[in-house]
Amino acid sequence: MSETVVIAMSGGVDSSVAALLLKEQGYKVVGVTLRLYDSCGRPAAKSCCAIEDAADARDVARALGIEHRLVEHQAAFDAEVIQPFVRSYLRGETPNPCIMCNERVKFGTLWEYAMSLGASKLATGHHARMVERGGRYEIHRGADRAKDQSYVLFPLTDEQRRRTLLPVGEWTKEELRAKAREAGLPTYDKAESQDICFVGRRSYTDFLASRGVTSQPGTVRHVDGEVLGRHDGIHHFTVGQRRGLGIPWSEPLYVTALNPSTGDVTVGPRSSLGRPRFRVSPWNWHAPPDERPPEADIQVRYHQVPKPARFREAKEGVVLEWCGDPRVVTPGQAAVAYSGDRVLGGGWIRRETWR
């Protein structure tokens, strides 16, 4: 009997071809589309949770002759992704809900569902490679560096990596579209998703207001302590922000810090943005203890060029210190360590430890 693999099908070309490749490799493939958020009544958006996406996934499954299931998952998504997203903004952070969705839903609650179907593996259409070495499973950057998604997979544990398949990691986007076209899959020319599914084309502040977040006015201060004005709530800002501050000054100003306790928004010149060191917690090592280097290339934004930093073990997580000039880091985002293309580990950037 063929090994059963559940493939998360978003309705896009990546997961469509991933399902095709798994079938060609001889697996019994079950496509599962999670209905995570009710997109009805929202302006049209290029997201991954619209009704049309579920229909596309169903059509691809039909073309491939594989089973397809649409699973209502809205309660879990709300609890595991949306609510933490809201709380993160209230803590003065800028969250990354796509990473939370991968960690807690696609490789969490979806795996529980996959096991109930008798599956031994879970597959996705992420642009990253799973490399087995000495019985350990490592995540490496995808062949298409422009589409690489290894950064968002840092939360995967050893056990999760062991049971995960990433079929499209060796393919470029153009190759995937050509493969889908050749196989007659209806998603071969479908546009990529861009918006966060539950936000869409609304502003983040409008979404937060819809979730009951009310404005808590506070003070805008210059890094030298001078009061420059008032604001309507720290959730309107993110560290590194320049546009929309509306403060006349002799040079461009950027948001350098948010303090949820006092309500202060601190701004300053670009030279005040960089942080020489920052705390990351919790930190999830992918490398075993004997392969953990004293420094590595650290990426602190999606598709950002990594820069070297030193590790220092802390009571909770690690403290990272840049080897060169300080860089902008944003609380709520992820810091991921690389050795070449290999993910060594990663964690969440915290607001504390700014000195």
Side-chain angles (χ1 to χ4, degrees):
M1 182 179 293
S2 299
E3 186 177 4
T4 299
V5 174
V6 162
I7 170 74
M9 297 186 70
S10 64
V13 66
D14 297 333
S15 59
S16 298
V17 176
L20 169 61
L21 294 174
L22 291 169
K23 183 180 179 183
E24 290 179 344
Q25 292 166 18
Y27 290 106
K28 176 185 176 183
V29 183
V30 179
V32 174
T33 300
L34 297 177
R35 191 161 185 262
L36 301 176
Y37 191 77
D38 186 359
S39 61
C40 295
R42 293 194 297 108
K46 294 180 180 179
S47 72
C48 56
C49 303
I51 295 174
E52 295 82 1
D53 296 312
D56 288 341
R58 178 200 61 206
D59 291 344
V60 168
R62 183 180 295 130
L64 293 176
I66 65 173
E67 181 180 356
H68 177 257
R69 297 185 176 213
L70 177 63
V71 179
E72 291 290 338
H73 223 60
Q74 295 184 57
F77 186 70
D78 187 270
E80 298 291 346
V81 178
I82 297 180
Q83 292 180 34
F85 174 88
V86 173
R87 292 195 296 268
S88 186
Y89 266 104
L90 296 178
R91 291 194 300 267
E93 299 174 344
T94 303
N96 190 319
C98 295
I99 296 180
M100 289 189 283
C101 182
N102 282 314
E103 175 185 13
R104 304 175 185 184
V105 177
K106 291 179 182 176
F107 296 97
T109 53
L110 176 57
W111 169 245
E112 296 172 4
Y113 181 76
M115 285 193 296
S116 73
L117 300 179
S120 59
K121 293 287 196 304
L122 178 66
T124 71
H126 283 95
H127 280 265
R129 294 177 292 135
M130 191 69 71
V131 177
E132 190 273 331
R133 184 170 65 91
R136 299 185 62 88
Y137 289 80
E138 304 170 352
I139 294 175
H140 289 233
R141 292 191 187 277
D144 192 334
R145 294 297 290 264
K147 301 297 181 182
D148 173 54
Q149 294 173 300
S150 59
Y151 173 81
V152 304
L153 300 178
F154 82 84
L156 269 64
T157 64
D158 290 342
E159 178 56 33
Q160 286 173 322
R161 297 195 300 276
R162 184 178 299 277
R163 66 186 185 225
T164 297
L165 298 175
L166 302 172
V168 305
E170 301 286 353
W171 296 64
T172 66
K173 192 76 173 190
E174 291 74 16
E175 291 170 339
L176 291 175
R177 291 197 183 279
K179 178 76 171 177
R181 185 185 302 109
E182 178 185 352
L185 301 185
T187 55
Y188 76 90
D189 62 347
K190 185 174 179 178
E192 296 184 73
S193 60
Q194 296 176 354
D195 298 314
I196 294 175
C197 61
F198 57 88
V199 174
R201 293 181 178 172
R202 293 176 291 181
S203 68
Y204 290 125
T205 52
D206 285 345
F207 172 77
L208 293 171
S210 75
R211 300 289 293 194
V213 175
T214 58
S215 294
Q216 300 292 329
T219 300
V220 179
R221 295 181 183 274
H222 194 271
V223 289
D224 64 10
E226 181 181 353
V227 174
L228 301 182
R230 301 281 292 172
H231 65 80
D232 293 329
I234 63 170
H235 61 284
H236 292 273
F237 303 90
T238 183
V239 170
Q241 176 182 339
R242 175 186 173 186
R243 299 175 65 88
L245 298 183
I247 301 172
W249 200 252
S250 58
E251 59 183 325
L253 294 176
Y254 299 79
V255 175
T256 64
L258 303 172
N259 190 325
S261 299
T262 64
D264 282 357
V265 172
T266 303
V267 300
R270 186 174 181 81
S271 60
S272 64
L273 271 177
R275 301 294 176 182
R277 65 188 63 86
F278 57 100
R279 186 168 71 89
V280 183
S281 175
W283 181 266
N284 177 37
W285 278 110
H286 289 204
D290 61 342
E291 296 181 13
R292 297 173 185 175
E295 67 180 58
D297 292 330
I298 306 297
Q299 184 173 328
V300 293
R301 280 282 189 174
Y302 195 40
H303 291 317
Q304 187 185 59
V305 176
K307 295 293 184 182
R310 290 180 288 270
F311 292 96
R312 177 163 58 84
E313 296 291 339
K315 185 176 181 181
E316 295 182 6
V318 301
V319 172
L320 292 170
E321 183 170 359
W322 296 115
C323 295
D325 294 335
R327 301 191 76 185
V328 179
V329 292
T330 304
Q333 293 293 299
V336 178
Y338 288 87
S339 174
D341 285 349
R342 176 190 175 191
V343 174
L344 298 175
W348 296 103
I349 300 169
R350 298 305 178 187
R351 193 173 56 84
E352 305 88 344
T353 321
W354 276 155
R355 292 190 301 277

